[in-house]
PDB file of all heavy atoms in Angstrom:
ATOM      1  N   LYS O 212     -87.663 -78.350 -78.873  1.00  0.00           N
ATOM      2  CA  LYS O 212     -87.448 -78.138 -80.319  1.00  0.00           C
ATOM      3  C   LYS O 212     -88.229 -76.966 -80.753  1.00  0.00           C
ATOM      4  O   LYS O 212     -87.762 -76.080 -81.515  1.00  0.00           O
ATOM      5  CB  LYS O 212     -87.750 -79.371 -81.096  1.00  0.00           C
ATOM      6  CG  LYS O 212     -86.758 -80.566 -80.928  1.00  0.00           C
ATOM      7  CD  LYS O 212     -87.198 -81.772 -81.516  1.00  0.00           C
ATOM      8  CE  LYS O 212     -86.408 -83.039 -80.932  1.00  0.00           C
ATOM      9  NZ  LYS O 212     -87.087 -84.250 -81.339  1.00  0.00           N
ATOM     10  N   GLU O 213     -89.500 -76.841 -80.251  1.00  0.00           N
ATOM     11  CA  GLU O 213     -90.276 -75.757 -80.718  1.00  0.00           C
ATOM     12  C   GLU O 213     -89.796 -74.457 -80.206  1.00  0.00           C
ATOM     13  O   GLU O 213     -89.746 -73.433 -80.777  1.00  0.00           O
ATOM     14  CB  GLU O 213     -91.826 -75.987 -80.212  1.00  0.00           C
ATOM     15  CG  GLU O 213     -92.550 -77.025 -80.957  1.00  0.00           C
ATOM     16  CD  GLU O 213     -93.772 -77.394 -80.302  1.00  0.00           C
ATOM     17  OE1 GLU O 213     -94.260 -76.772 -79.253  1.00  0.00           O
ATOM     18  OE2 GLU O 213     -94.630 -78.222 -80.860  1.00  0.00           O
ATOM     19  N   ALA O 214     -89.254 -74.539 -78.910  1.00  0.00           N
ATOM     20  CA  ALA O 214     -88.858 -73.176 -78.279  1.00  0.00           C
ATOM     21  C   ALA O 214     -87.625 -72.716 -78.961  1.00  0.00           C
ATOM     22  O   ALA O 214     -87.365 -71.502 -79.209  1.00  0.00           O
ATOM     23  CB  ALA O 214     -88.609 -73.424 -76.774  1.00  0.00           C
ATOM     24  N   PHE O 215     -86.674 -73.527 -79.277  1.00  0.00           N
ATOM     25  CA  PHE O 215     -85.341 -73.034 -79.800  1.00  0.00           C
ATOM     26  C   PHE O 215     -85.171 -73.073 -81.302  1.00  0.00           C
ATOM     27  O   PHE O 215     -84.111 -72.530 -81.736  1.00  0.00           O
ATOM     28  CB  PHE O 215     -84.226 -74.047 -79.200  1.00  0.00           C
ATOM     29  CG  PHE O 215     -83.957 -73.771 -77.807  1.00  0.00           C
ATOM     30  CD1 PHE O 215     -84.576 -74.538 -76.716  1.00  0.00           C
ATOM     31  CD2 PHE O 215     -83.047 -72.737 -77.427  1.00  0.00           C
ATOM     32  CE1 PHE O 215     -84.253 -74.276 -75.389  1.00  0.00           C
ATOM     33  CE2 PHE O 215     -82.705 -72.548 -76.028  1.00  0.00           C
ATOM     34  CZ  PHE O 215     -83.400 -73.257 -75.025  1.00  0.00           C
ATOM     35  N   VAL O 216     -86.255 -73.376 -82.079  1.00  0.00           N
ATOM     36  CA  VAL O 216     -86.037 -73.334 -83.620  1.00  0.00           C
ATOM     37  C   VAL O 216     -85.701 -72.006 -84.046  1.00  0.00           C
ATOM     38  O   VAL O 216     -84.845 -71.802 -84.795  1.00  0.00           O
ATOM     39  CB  VAL O 216     -87.245 -74.091 -84.191  1.00  0.00           C
ATOM     40  CG1 VAL O 216     -87.281 -73.700 -85.758  1.00  0.00           C
ATOM     41  CG2 VAL O 216     -87.034 -75.633 -84.149  1.00  0.00           C
ATOM     42  N   PRO O 217     -86.389 -70.862 -83.656  1.00  0.00           N
ATOM     43  CA  PRO O 217     -86.086 -69.676 -84.142  1.00  0.00           C
ATOM     44  C   PRO O 217     -84.591 -69.254 -83.743  1.00  0.00           C
ATOM     45  O   PRO O 217     -84.271 -69.342 -82.565  1.00  0.00           O
ATOM     46  CB  PRO O 217     -87.097 -68.599 -83.626  1.00  0.00           C
ATOM     47  CG  PRO O 217     -87.991 -69.436 -82.815  1.00  0.00           C
ATOM     48  CD  PRO O 217     -87.536 -70.811 -82.587  1.00  0.00           C
ATOM     49  N   LEU O 218     -83.855 -69.011 -84.611  1.00  0.00           N
ATOM     50  CA  LEU O 218     -82.375 -68.715 -84.289  1.00  0.00           C
ATOM     51  C   LEU O 218     -81.878 -67.387 -85.040  1.00  0.00           C
ATOM     52  O   LEU O 218     -81.589 -67.415 -86.166  1.00  0.00           O
ATOM     53  CB  LEU O 218     -81.502 -69.849 -84.949  1.00  0.00           C
ATOM     54  CG  LEU O 218     -80.166 -70.031 -84.386  1.00  0.00           C
ATOM     55  CD1 LEU O 218     -80.168 -70.219 -82.752  1.00  0.00           C
ATOM     56  CD2 LEU O 218     -79.574 -71.363 -84.875  1.00  0.00           C
ATOM     57  N   SER O 219     -82.144 -66.320 -84.187  1.00  0.00           N
ATOM     58  CA  SER O 219     -81.801 -64.963 -84.798  1.00  0.00           C
ATOM     59  C   SER O 219     -80.290 -64.846 -85.071  1.00  0.00           C
ATOM     60  O   SER O 219     -79.576 -65.551 -84.528  1.00  0.00           O
ATOM     61  CB  SER O 219     -82.360 -63.933 -83.862  1.00  0.00           C
ATOM     62  OG  SER O 219     -81.580 -64.011 -82.650  1.00  0.00           O
ATOM     63  N   SER O 220     -79.971 -63.804 -85.765  1.00  0.00           N
ATOM     64  CA  SER O 220     -78.625 -63.564 -85.937  1.00  0.00           C
ATOM     65  C   SER O 220     -77.863 -63.256 -84.690  1.00  0.00           C
ATOM     66  O   SER O 220     -76.649 -63.582 -84.547  1.00  0.00           O
ATOM     67  CB  SER O 220     -78.389 -62.434 -87.078  1.00  0.00           C
ATOM     68  OG  SER O 220     -79.082 -61.263 -86.624  1.00  0.00           O
ATOM     69  N   GLU O 221     -78.484 -62.473 -83.849  1.00  0.00           N
ATOM     70  CA  GLU O 221     -77.836 -62.275 -82.491  1.00  0.00           C
ATOM     71  C   GLU O 221     -77.524 -63.487 -81.743  1.00  0.00           C
ATOM     72  O   GLU O 221     -76.364 -63.670 -81.109  1.00  0.00           O
ATOM     73  CB  GLU O 221     -78.784 -61.273 -81.588  1.00  0.00           C
ATOM     74  CG  GLU O 221     -78.921 -59.948 -82.108  1.00  0.00           C
ATOM     75  CD  GLU O 221     -80.007 -59.793 -83.229  1.00  0.00           C
ATOM     76  OE1 GLU O 221     -80.654 -60.675 -83.413  1.00  0.00           O
ATOM     77  OE2 GLU O 221     -80.013 -58.686 -83.800  1.00  0.00           O
ATOM     78  N   ILE O 222     -78.452 -64.359 -81.764  1.00  0.00           N
ATOM     79  CA  ILE O 222     -78.261 -65.679 -80.975  1.00  0.00           C
ATOM     80  C   ILE O 222     -77.187 -66.632 -81.771  1.00  0.00           C
ATOM     81  O   ILE O 222     -76.354 -67.229 -81.076  1.00  0.00           O
ATOM     82  CB  ILE O 222     -79.618 -66.423 -80.768  1.00  0.00           C
ATOM     83  CG1 ILE O 222     -80.563 -65.631 -79.969  1.00  0.00           C
ATOM     84  CG2 ILE O 222     -79.415 -67.794 -80.302  1.00  0.00           C
ATOM     85  CD1 ILE O 222     -80.024 -65.434 -78.617  1.00  0.00           C
ATOM     86  N   GLN O 223     -77.182 -66.509 -83.063  1.00  0.00           N
ATOM     87  CA  GLN O 223     -76.258 -67.241 -83.722  1.00  0.00           C
ATOM     88  C   GLN O 223     -74.811 -66.768 -83.367  1.00  0.00           C
ATOM     89  O   GLN O 223     -73.894 -67.525 -83.156  1.00  0.00           O
ATOM     90  CB  GLN O 223     -76.420 -67.004 -85.346  1.00  0.00           C
ATOM     91  CG  GLN O 223     -77.528 -67.792 -85.877  1.00  0.00           C
ATOM     92  CD  GLN O 223     -77.704 -67.651 -87.356  1.00  0.00           C
ATOM     93  OE1 GLN O 223     -76.520 -67.346 -87.987  1.00  0.00           O
ATOM     94  NE2 GLN O 223     -78.899 -67.642 -87.963  1.00  0.00           N
TER      95      GLN O 223
END
Side-chain angles (χ1 to χ4, degrees):
Chain O
K212 286 172 200 166
E213 283 171 2
F215 282 93
V216 163
L218 200 54
S219 65
S220 56
E221 289 83 12
I222 295 300
Q223 286 185 30

